[in-house]
Amino acid sequence: MTALATESFREQLLSRRYEPNVAAVNGLCDTLQSLKPHTEVPYVDPMHDVDECRIISLYSNIGTADESGFITAGDEEAATRMLGVQWKLGLRPEYVMPWNVHPWHIAGEANGKFTPDQISAGLKPLLKFLALVPRASVIVAHGTEANRLAGLLLKTEVPLLWRRGLKTYKVRSLSGRAFAGTPARQEQYLEEMHVVYADAMARTGIALPS
């Protein structure tokens, strides 16, 4: 029964992927997938909103694509950590949107460590994505690959970036070796992330909970 319920929920989400609040960005995902046959490009969950988005969470999508078909922060532990940070801050999903460094996955295969060329290949998709979220002015880059792509982005001379006063924050990945350590150390990592997202919220005019 649980498996059936999970599958039903997944199908419900997929059936909503072209709702007006996410249609443009998920249309971009379809376009990117068509450019590289035999790949999968995970969608943005319909709980997000292209018109309201102020903060982009940029993830290093090493590993396998999530079975849901949507972009996630990583494995189950990573997703739980990210949700915990957002819940603690009162950061509602319409104000933040996820994106992947290298949008593509090969079905049934895990992405290994990205090469410089693979990271560079994510630059044009990221710029196209940014054009679809007109109020986004902050990128929080999670992990080494995301940090590198954010660095490439800042080196471009695209007017969109300076018009918005785009700011990037570099934080660690939410899973794997980057999050290894004692419970106390992991709590420290989460607190550092909490500070970054709190600053991003203040910068973009999102009220913190009183």
Side-chain angles (χ1 to χ4, degrees):
M1 179 64 75
T2 301
L4 289 173
T6 301
E7 181 65 20
S8 176
F9 181 66
R10 175 181 178 275
E11 290 175 353
Q12 288 176 28
L13 284 181
L14 284 172
S15 72
R16 296 173 50 211
R17 68 188 183 276
Y18 300 123
E19 289 185 352
N21 55 299
V22 286
V25 70
N26 284 334
L28 172 61
C29 292
D30 287 335
T31 299
L32 293 173
Q33 183 169 321
S34 70
L35 294 175
K36 294 191 177 187
H38 311 299
T39 66
E40 295 179 353
V41 177
Y43 293 109
V44 170
D45 191 296
M47 67 180 172
H48 301 290
D49 192 303
V50 293
D51 293 324
E52 294 296 332
C53 173
R54 321 287 175 81
I55 301 168
I56 294 165
S57 294
L58 184 62
Y59 298 126
S60 298
N61 57 311
I62 288 175
T64 56
D66 192 83
E67 293 181 356
S68 67
F70 292 96
I71 298 171
T72 68
D75 58 22
E76 189 172 343
E77 286 188 349
T80 299
R81 288 167 180 146
M82 189 72 259
L83 285 173
V85 169
Q86 293 172 346
W87 178 82
K88 188 175 180 181
L89 286 167
L91 177 55
R92 301 206 307 267
E94 62 264 33
Y95 292 138
V96 63
M97 193 172 288
W99 192 248
N100 281 334
V101 167
H102 188 77
W104 302 274
H105 285 272
I106 296 176
E109 295 184 17
N111 283 332
K113 184 178 181 181
F114 291 134
T115 65
D117 285 346
Q118 286 177 308
I119 294 171
S120 296
L123 182 57
K124 284 185 178 179
L126 177 59
L127 285 167
K128 290 179 179 179
F129 172 70
L130 281 169
L132 299 175
V133 283
R135 300 181 73 181
S137 60
V138 165
I139 294 177
V140 180
H142 289 264
T144 302
E145 290 76 16
N147 292 339
R148 288 176 179 164
L149 181 56
L152 291 176
L153 177 68
L154 293 178
K155 290 178 182 177
T156 66
E157 297 181 357
V158 178
L160 174 151
L161 303 182
W162 56 259
R163 280 202 306 265
R164 295 191 197 176
L166 187 80
K167 180 175 177 60
T168 63
Y169 296 84
K170 297 181 179 181
V171 297
R172 67 182 59 243
S173 175
L174 286 146
S175 60
R177 293 176 62 184
F179 227 87
T182 64
R185 181 61 60 87
Q186 291 185 0
E187 191 62 33
Q188 178 187 336
Y189 297 158
L190 288 172
E191 181 56 31
E192 291 169 355
M193 212 167 288
H194 182 278
V195 170
V196 163
Y197 273 95
D199 194 67
M201 289 172 69
R203 180 181 178 86
T204 57
I206 304 171
L208 290 165
S210 55

